[in-house]
């Protein structure tokens, strides 16, 4: 059944928004999803004082997306992924039995891509190459010109052949999917090497070109065989035409959600997207600001640290190329490989800052795929510590590529949350903080030890932390 927080006096309420998405009695409610064209549901909620128990409520199916492109049931596109995990972390980090966050993000991206492809195409070839189905995007083509006995086009009715050759017809769309972004991911429990990890990916929201996949991660502990919930993530995918590598409009069928759990996931995904849109708008204003009060900006936790390091001294860089074996069916670098590389360097940046080998990934605030990466690109990565709490810290990672003409393009941006642990895997206090003021400056002076861009990064990180605390998505210690 739907969680209790969705039912308030017979009104269906979207979390994080406070706006009612339904009314008493049988009613047709429109969800407050921003990027989706059609999203309606008929929900039966008793309004009498003698309402039956919640277990007897009847929920009609909810359809999300553009029904003109077809409707597919959510169960048809579900992806169940199961595998035995092995740690890829070096033994030097001191947590060699713990599976890294990059390995988990790699699997989450695979599960989401599989579910999205099954929903868009309806099937998937075992070799990994989609068998494209154009039944829902079929266009009426003019019949082929009549041929004479010499196998040459016959003359038009006017009796003269056309002087110019006919224009080539555009190739039919070859549909595929690509990862666009990933919602806040928090690993509530660690996954040890040898654990069996199960992931369930379900398409819960659809638009004209985009779709949201909810991925639930669990682990089966060895040797007790006890199943434990680990994390959940919302991955946003887009349907693309492989001929042009651009979004394929109208190619995503609508999704029909029948079970109460899927309806709950739908409202959580749409409300979270709306909430994070407002967060990103506020962060955009922060990035444009030039006036900061450091006495207000710096929190008490950072001020009480024993040592303070300028943000520019925490920067770490890396560069590499990708090869054919790391490409997906779109001939671009697989997103899971990029995530693994970003998480590896984010954790290493945190270890150097905290001076502790036992620093592991706790979660991801936000993650964006802005542009694809090709195997001919020279890829560079920059990581830096932008925020510190008691035992946790936040590391921003940017990936950019250098292409013809020396043009540099930022392709991926992510904010990782790390936690410092002791030998017993308990949170360990970090004794170093971020310095934004020159040591000789008096309180209240506008002079910065860092440039204004670093101050903006710190302000954005603090805003993300306060936002996450307010919405109870997760909480830094």
């Amino acid at each position: 059944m739907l969680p209790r927080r969705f039912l308030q006096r017979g009104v269906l309420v979207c979390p994080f928004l406070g706006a009612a998405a339904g009314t008493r009695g049988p009613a047709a409610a429109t969800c407050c999803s921003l990027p989706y064209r059609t999203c309606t549901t008929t929900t039966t909620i008793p309004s009498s004082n003698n309402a039956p128990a919640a277990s007897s409520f009847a929920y009609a199916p909810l359809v999300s997306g553009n029904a003109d492109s077809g409707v597919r049931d959510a169960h048809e596109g579900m992806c169940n992924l199961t595998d035995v995990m092995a740690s890829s972390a070096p033994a030097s980090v001191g947590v060699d039995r713990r599976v890294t966050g990059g390995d988990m993000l790699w699997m989450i991206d695979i599960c989401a891509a599989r579910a999205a492809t099954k929903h868009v195409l309806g099937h998937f070839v075992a070799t990994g190459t989609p068998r494209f189905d154009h039944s829902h995007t079929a266009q009426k083509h003019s019949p082929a010109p009549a041929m004479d006995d010499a196998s040459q086009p016959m003359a038009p009715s006017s009796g003269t052949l056309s002087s110019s050759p006919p224009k080539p017809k555009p190739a039919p769309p070859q549909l595929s999917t690509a990862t666009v972004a990933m919602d806040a991911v928090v690993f509530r429990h660690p996954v040890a090497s040898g654990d069996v990890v199960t992931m369930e990916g379900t398409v819960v929201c659809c638009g004209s070109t985009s779709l949201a996949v909810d991925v639930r991660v669990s682990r089966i502990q060895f040797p007790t065989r006890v199943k434990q919930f680990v994390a959940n993530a919302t991955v946003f995918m887009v349907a693309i035409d492989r001929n042009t590598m651009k979004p394929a409009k109208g190619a995503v069928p609508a999704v029909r959600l029948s079970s109460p759990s899927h309806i709950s996931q739908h409202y959580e995904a749409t409300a979270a997207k709306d909430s994070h849109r407002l967060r990103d708008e506020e962060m955009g204003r922060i990035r444009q600001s030039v006036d900061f009060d450091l006495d207000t900006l710096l929190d008490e936790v950072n001020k009480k640290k024993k040592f303070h390091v300028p943000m520019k001294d925490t920067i770490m860089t890396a560069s590499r190329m990708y090869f054919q074996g790391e490409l997906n069916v779109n001939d671009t670098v697989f997103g899971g490989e990029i995530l693994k590389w970003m998480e590896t360097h984010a954790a290493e940046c945190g270890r150097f800052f905290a001076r502790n080998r036992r620093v592991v990934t706790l979660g991801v605030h936000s993650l964006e795929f802005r542009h694809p990466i090709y195997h001919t690109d020279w890829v560079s990565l920059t990581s830096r510590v932008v925020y510190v709490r008691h035992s946790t810290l936040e590391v921003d990672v940017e990936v950019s590529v250098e292409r013809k003409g020396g043009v540099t393009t930022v392709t991926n941006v992510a904010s990782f949350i790390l936690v410092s642990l002791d030998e017993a895997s308990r949170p360990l206090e970090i004794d170093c903080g971020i310095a934004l003021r020159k040591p000789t400056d008096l309180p209240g002076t506008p002079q910065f030890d860092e440039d204004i861009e670093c101050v903006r990064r710190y302000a954005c990180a603090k805003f993300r932390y306060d936002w996450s605390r307010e919405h109870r998505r997760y909480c830094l210690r």
Side-chain angles (χ1 to χ4, degrees):
M1 306 305 296
L2 288 175
R4 184 181 298 274
R5 64 179 180 275
F6 290 111
L7 297 175
Q8 297 183 3
R9 298 181 180 179
V11 179
L12 193 62
V13 180
C14 287
F16 316 125
L17 296 180
T23 56
R24 292 177 180 267
T30 301
C31 176
C32 53
S33 170
L34 291 177
Y36 311 119
R37 293 177 55 185
T38 305
C39 181
T40 58
T41 179
T42 302
T43 306
T44 303
I45 300 179
S47 58
S48 63
N49 295 331
N50 299 325
S55 60
S56 63
F57 287 177
Y59 297 95
L62 181 148
V63 177
S64 172
N66 183 13
D68 295 338
S69 299
V71 180
R72 237 186 267 282
D73 193 83
H75 294 281
E76 298 180 14
M78 287 183 60
C79 172
N80 294 306
L81 189 153
T82 304
D83 201 357
V84 178
M85 300 301 298
S87 176
S88 63
S92 59
V93 302
V95 286
D96 50 321
R97 290 198 68 252
R98 183 191 295 261
V99 175
T100 65
D103 293 330
M104 299 300 297
L105 294 173
W106 184 82
M107 285 190 64
I108 290 175
D109 192 46
I110 289 180
C111 184
R114 166 75 175 181
T117 304
K118 288 179 63 178
H119 180 80
V120 173
L121 305 180
H123 42 64
F124 203 87
V125 176
T127 58
T129 304
R131 186 193 303 118
F132 299 104
D133 182 6
H134 313 300
S135 58
H136 60 283
T137 58
Q139 299 179 356
K140 294 182 180 179
H141 299 284
S142 58
M147 308 295 289
D148 60 7
D149 295 338
S151 298
Q152 296 293 334
M154 296 182 64
S157 57
S158 60
T160 60
L161 290 172
S162 175
S163 58
S164 60
K167 295 183 179 180
K169 296 180 180 179
Q174 293 187 344
L175 300 180
S176 183
T177 59
T179 306
V180 176
M182 190 176 294
D183 190 17
V185 183
V186 180
F187 300 108
R188 292 172 172 81
H189 299 283
V191 177
S193 180
D195 287 347
V196 177
V197 173
T198 62
M199 296 188 181
E200 183 180 280
T202 308
V203 176
V204 294
C205 293
C206 290
S208 176
T209 61
S210 62
L211 59 164
V213 182
D214 184 89
V215 181
R216 302 296 169 108
V217 185
S218 303
R219 70 164 183 159
I220 301 176
Q221 295 174 301
F222 177 84
T224 60
R225 303 181 69 86
V226 176
K227 191 171 183 179
Q228 187 180 48
F229 176 77
V230 174
N232 71 286
T234 303
V235 184
F236 297 97
M237 313 287 294
V238 63
I240 62 174
D241 182 356
R242 291 178 61 191
N243 296 321
T244 61
M245 294 300 294
K246 294 181 179 180
K249 295 184 179 180
V252 179
V255 60
R256 181 189 297 108
L257 307 171
S258 303
S259 67
S261 61
H262 291 168
I263 296 176
S264 172
Q265 295 170 16
H266 165 82
Y267 282 112
E268 289 180 357
T270 54
K273 184 175 180 63
D274 193 5
S275 176
H276 285 85
R277 180 186 62 84
L278 299 177
R279 182 200 66 182
D280 293 341
E281 289 178 356
E282 180 62 27
M283 290 176 56
R285 288 189 285 268
I286 294 176
R287 293 190 182 99
Q288 299 297 326
S289 178
V290 295
D291 186 16
F292 294 94
D293 183 3
L294 292 186
D295 293 330
T296 304
L297 181 62
L298 291 171
D299 55 23
E300 295 299 324
V301 175
N302 189 78
K303 292 179 181 178
K304 293 180 181 179
K305 298 293 184 180
K306 296 180 181 180
F307 311 99
H308 293 84
V309 178
M311 189 180 297
K312 62 183 179 182
D313 293 343
T314 69
I315 295 177
M316 298 185 66
T317 60
S319 56
R320 61 164 297 179
M321 288 187 67
Y322 286 94
F323 301 96
Q324 292 287 344
E326 297 164 314
L327 305 183
N328 55 25
V329 296
N330 303 324
D331 291 331
T332 60
V333 179
F334 172 54
E337 295 289 344
I338 303 173
L339 292 178
K340 185 185 295 187
W341 189 46
M342 296 174 70
E343 189 275 338
T344 299
H345 286 276
E348 192 68 14
C349 181
R351 294 185 188 108
F352 273 91
F353 180 84
R355 294 176 294 177
N356 179 18
R357 291 182 175 181
R358 296 177 177 85
V359 173
V360 297
T361 301
L362 181 65
V364 183
H365 264 305
S366 60
L367 194 151
E368 298 179 12
F369 290 79
R370 298 181 179 178
H371 301 280
I373 298 178
Y374 302 94
H375 73 280
T376 56
D377 292 331
W378 182 255
V379 190
S380 301
L381 178 147
T382 303
S383 59
R384 73 193 79 199
V385 178
V386 295
Y387 195 65
V388 183
R389 293 291 294 176
H390 293 286
S391 60
T392 56
L393 63 157
E394 184 173 335
V395 177
D396 280 357
V397 180
E398 290 184 358
V399 176
S400 59
V401 297
E402 182 180 344
R403 291 172 178 162
K404 293 181 179 180
V407 178
T408 301
T409 304
V410 177
T411 59
N412 302 82
V413 179
S415 298
F416 292 89
I417 309 169
L418 309 175
V419 59
S420 178
L421 304 175
D422 59 13
E423 296 181 355
S425 296
R426 293 173 299 193
L428 180 65
E429 183 78 15
I430 299 175
D431 58 2
C432 188
I434 298 293
L436 296 180
R437 192 195 310 274
K438 292 182 179 179
T440 57
D441 289 341
L442 298 176
T445 59
Q447 299 177 2
F448 302 130
D449 184 35
E450 300 283 359
D451 57 19
I452 189 64
E453 182 61 29
C454 293
V455 178
R456 289 169 177 167
R457 289 180 182 273
Y458 184 92
C460 288
K462 182 181 179 182
F463 178 79
R464 280 194 299 262
Y465 168 77
D466 295 336
W467 185 275
S468 64
R469 286 287 298 267
E470 178 184 355
H471 291 272
R472 298 181 181 179
R473 293 284 299 189
Y474 42 81
C475 176
L476 302 181
R477 292 181 59 87

